[in-house]
Amino acid sequence: MLAVAAWRWHATPAGRRTIDRLTLRLPWVGDLVRGYLFSRVARTLAMMLGGGIPMIPSLQVTLTTVGNAFVGDALQRCVPRVAAGSSLADALGGTGVVPPLVLEMAAVGEGSGSLGEMLGYVADLYDAEVDTRLTALAAAIGPVIMVGMGLVVLSMVFVTYLPLVYVLLIAIGAMAGFFVVPMNALLQ
């Protein structure tokens, strides 16, 4: 019942925003998710600007691809500021969710007239960081999975050979003249 209520709450906009905000606060996973999100934002905005689409429509389309309600809502607040004449770096900095690297590269790109190229570099950097983190995660999870599989196989072997060991104990006890406790008594 509680799981159904949590699932239904997550389907609401407030629930999704809260879960997404908490996800970004997780120690190791939050950095991984943040890197993936801003790689996608930077790459999409770079492609849109590189294709000659004006800034405001590019931002609006880019915000539809964020995939995180908390970050999407925060970035949505920067569109009116950019439309009012603020620089992209200043508008993004006012959201409080954009990493400093993105802000600095956006400021450099705007100053040099190569914003799309700089955002492409940011996306490449975040892609490399996410790839490195996922490789480390896979390397760390591998031994844990092997131990878990070993325990499952061990328990299957134990359950398979338990009746055979019990029969052998009865046979050895009968030969030696000992009384062996029935299996039902052992299990109680």
Side-chain angles (χ1 to χ4, degrees), residues 8-169:
R8 292 193 64 177
W9 176 71
H10 180 267
T12 66
R16 181 173 169 92
R17 193 171 23 262
T18 303
I19 296 296
D20 287 348
R21 180 174 45 87
L22 293 176
T23 301
L24 291 175
R25 288 186 180 177
L26 291 174
W28 205 78
V29 175
D31 291 336
L32 183 66
V33 170
R34 190 176 294 107
Y36 174 72
L37 289 173
F38 284 103
S39 168
R40 185 166 31 172
V41 166
R43 174 115 28 235
T44 304
L45 190 55
M47 288 185 340
M48 300 287 284
L49 294 173
I53 299 172
M55 176 63 77
I56 301 302
S58 295
L59 273 174
Q60 290 170 337
V61 170
T62 299
L63 294 179
T64 63
T65 66
V66 171
N68 184 297
F70 178 71
V71 173
D73 289 348
L75 293 179
Q76 189 68 41
R77 294 190 302 261
C78 77
V79 175
R81 293 184 64 194
V82 172
S86 178
S87 71
L88 179 64
D90 289 341
L92 291 175
T95 63
V97 297
V98 180
L101 176 66
V102 176
L103 298 175
E104 292 171 14
M105 294 295 272
V108 169
E110 286 177 314
S112 66
S114 58
L115 180 60
E117 188 176 335
M118 289 298 157
L119 290 174
Y121 290 142
V122 168
D124 291 341
L125 287 171
Y126 278 121
D127 284 344
E129 180 184 342
V130 168
D131 187 42
T132 302
R133 286 179 181 263
L134 287 176
T135 301
L137 180 65
I141 288 178
V144 173
I145 291 174
M146 291 301 283
V147 168
M149 287 175 35
L151 290 174
V152 167
V153 169
L154 179 67
S155 65
M156 289 172 55
V157 167
F158 181 73
V159 168
T160 302
Y161 283 109
L162 186 62
L164 178 63
V165 169
Y166 181 70
V167 168
L168 286 174
L169 286 175

